[in-house]
């Protein structure tokens, strides 16, 4: 099947091979960098299918440029807040994502951040490398125990659940805030509580909700003020869930003890003052970044795109009602 496909940036080879086998030749951004919005509009013009990334803002203008022949925007991510799904649906364009395959990898990273913040490992590494370390000291880099602490999981979907289940070996008490009870978390003694109660009681608060209008700035100055001064916030979900300017103030003023961030409100830029703080560990959006997981995501995105071009319902469609708009 020859189809007019565009890939907005190089993804792992397994996905490109899959596309090639099913669709023959396709075009891809030759540069390993994000396309500007104007370049994205030009690149997708008249395409039948686009494989895009969370760094591509797929808005009305981009969808309009793709035009009436376009069947699908296959996102190489589980989150799809970068895409105007309602606008895509109106145009009969399917949107797909890559759920499931990155759950465990992202849950691992949330714990990596949690430990890094709790035990101040990045600060310690920086100090050691500076050449100023003059040996063991009784009061140096004192952190917080993870073992026996209270873990607050905001959003008990796939990733939140995987994060909470990892806590068993650390004998942490699990609180979770979620619209529905979660049987897996209840089975390990997790307790479903309100967000306010979770924020007041937890030693570590970890965010796992999708970004939408209901979760934008879910954690702002008011919520940070509810947290214990010894507590740490972990965000591996989406940056705008946290009011990052308010977080800088809370970290600077000691309202909370620390934060571990993998995502930012205006990626790739940090909020002013954030990177000057020692009590925050900042990663460059690495949640799903293992070779195996990114390869699985690439194959999954390619499979979604291929199915849509075949006129089939893709395995991971976000807006199946777009099929009706087309019919
Ligand atoms: C990564 O952030 C994703 O949504 O897959």
């Amino acid at each position: 099947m020859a189809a007019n496909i565009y890939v907005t940036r190089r993804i792992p080879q397994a996905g490109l091979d899959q596309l090639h086998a099913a669709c023959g030749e396709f075009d891809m951004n030759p540069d390993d960098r994000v396309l500007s919005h104007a370049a994205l509009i030009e690149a997708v013009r008249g395409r039948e299918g686009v494989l895009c990334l969370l760094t591509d803002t797929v808005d009305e203008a981009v969808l309009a440029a793709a035009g009436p022949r376009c069947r699908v925007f296959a996102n190489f991510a589980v989150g799809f807040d970068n895409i105007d799904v309602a606008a895509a649906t109106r145009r009969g364009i399917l949107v797909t994502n890559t759920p499931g395959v990155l759950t465990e990898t992202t849950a691992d990273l949330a714990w990596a951040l949690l430990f890094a913040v709790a035990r101040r490992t990045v600060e310690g590494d920086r100090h050691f490398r500076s050449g100023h370390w003059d040996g063991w000291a009784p009061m140096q880099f004192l952190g917080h125990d993870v073992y026996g602490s209270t873990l607050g999981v905001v959003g008990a979907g796939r990733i939140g659940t995987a994060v909470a289940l990892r806590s068993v070996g650390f004998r942490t008490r699990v609180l979770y805030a979620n619209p529905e009870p979660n049987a897996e978390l209840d089975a390990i003694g997790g307790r479903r509580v309100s967000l306010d109660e979770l924020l007041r009681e937890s030693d570590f608060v970890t965010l796992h909700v999708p970004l939408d209008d209901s979760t934008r700035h879910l954690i702002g100055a008011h919520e940070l003020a509810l947290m214990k001064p010894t507590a740490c916030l972990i965000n591996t979900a989406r940056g705008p869930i946290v009011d990052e300017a308010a977080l800088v103030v809370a970290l600077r003023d000691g309202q909370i003890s620390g934060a571990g961030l993998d995502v930012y409100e205006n990626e790739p830029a940090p909020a002013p003052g954030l990177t000057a703080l020692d009590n925050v560990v900042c990663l460059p959006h690495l949640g799903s970044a293992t070779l195996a997981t990114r390869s699985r995501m690439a194959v999954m995105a390619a499979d979604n795109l291929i199915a849509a071009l075949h006129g089939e319902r893709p395995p991971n469609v976000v807006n199946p009602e777009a099929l009706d708009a087309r019919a």
Side-chain angles (χ1 to χ4, degrees), residues 47 92 102 105 112 163 192 233 238 242 262 321-322:
R47 304 288 181 178
L102 48 70
T105 304
V163 168
R192 188 163 76 101
L233 179 73
R238 282 292 182 268
V242 176
D262 189 40
E321 52 294 359

Side-chain angles (χ1 to χ4, degrees), residues 117-149:
V117 177
R119 300 302 305 272
R120 306 177 64 177
T121 59
V122 177
E123 277 179 274
D125 179 86
R126 272 200 295 265
H127 186 66
F128 182 81
R129 286 168 197 266
S130 75
H132 295 306
W133 187 51
D134 51 9
W136 184 89
M139 298 301 285
Q140 197 169 53
F141 293 118
L142 304 185
H144 302 292
D145 281 316
V146 175
Y147 185 90
S149 64

Side-chain angles (χ1 to χ4, degrees), residues 112-277:
L113 272 174
L114 191 155
F115 271 104
V117 177
R119 300 302 305 272
R120 306 177 64 177
T121 59
V122 177
E123 277 179 274
D125 179 86
R126 272 200 295 265
H127 186 66
F128 182 81
R129 286 168 197 266
S130 75
H132 295 306
W133 187 51
D134 51 9
W136 184 89
M139 298 301 285
Q140 197 169 53
F141 293 118
L142 304 185
H144 302 292
D145 281 316
V146 175
Y147 185 90
S149 64
T150 297
L151 177 70
V153 179
V154 181
R158 284 178 295 257
I159 299 174
T161 302
V163 168
L165 293 178
R166 278 162 173 69
S167 72
V168 172
F170 295 107
R171 297 280 195 273
T172 64
R173 181 165 80 107
V174 171
L175 302 178
Y176 69 97
N178 199 55
E180 310 293 333
N182 178 312
E184 278 182 280
L185 299 194
D186 295 345
I188 60 162
R191 198 157 63 80
R192 188 163 76 101
V193 294
S194 68
L195 179 60
D196 282 8
E197 183 175 349
L198 182 148
L199 293 168
R200 278 198 197 94
E201 300 254 321
S202 300
D203 299 305
F204 300 97
V205 174
T206 182
L207 304 179
H208 302 288
V209 288
L211 173 63
D212 58 28
D213 288 342
S214 70
T215 59
R216 193 172 299 276
H217 282 197
L218 181 69
I219 305 297
H222 167 79
E223 290 72 22
L224 291 162
L226 294 178
M227 290 174 66
K228 301 183 198 179
T230 50
C232 302
L233 179 73
I234 310 298
N235 190 5
T236 54
R238 282 292 182 268
I241 295 166
V242 176
D243 177 344
E244 207 171 292
L247 177 63
V248 169
V249 172
L251 288 167
R252 199 191 53 211
D253 296 354
Q255 277 172 36
I256 67 171
S257 174
L261 305 178
D262 189 40
V263 288
Y264 305 88
E265 199 165 349
N266 295 300
E267 293 183 15
L274 184 74
T275 53
L277 299 167

Side-chain angles (χ1 to χ4, degrees), residues 54 76-79 98 102 237-238 285 288 297:
L54 61 88
F76 177 76
V78 63
T98 61
L102 48 70
R238 282 292 182 268
H285 205 148
S288 62
M297 289 166 65

Side-chain angles (χ1 to χ4, degrees), residues 51-62:
L51 197 152
C52 58
L53 313 182
L54 61 88
T55 42
D56 299 317
T57 299
V58 178
D59 56 12
E60 187 70 60
V62 173

Side-chain angles (χ1 to χ4, degrees), residues 89-103:
T89 305
R90 281 196 298 276
R91 293 177 175 276
I93 297 177
L94 294 167
V95 174
T96 66
N97 68 340
T98 61
V101 289
L102 48 70
T103 299

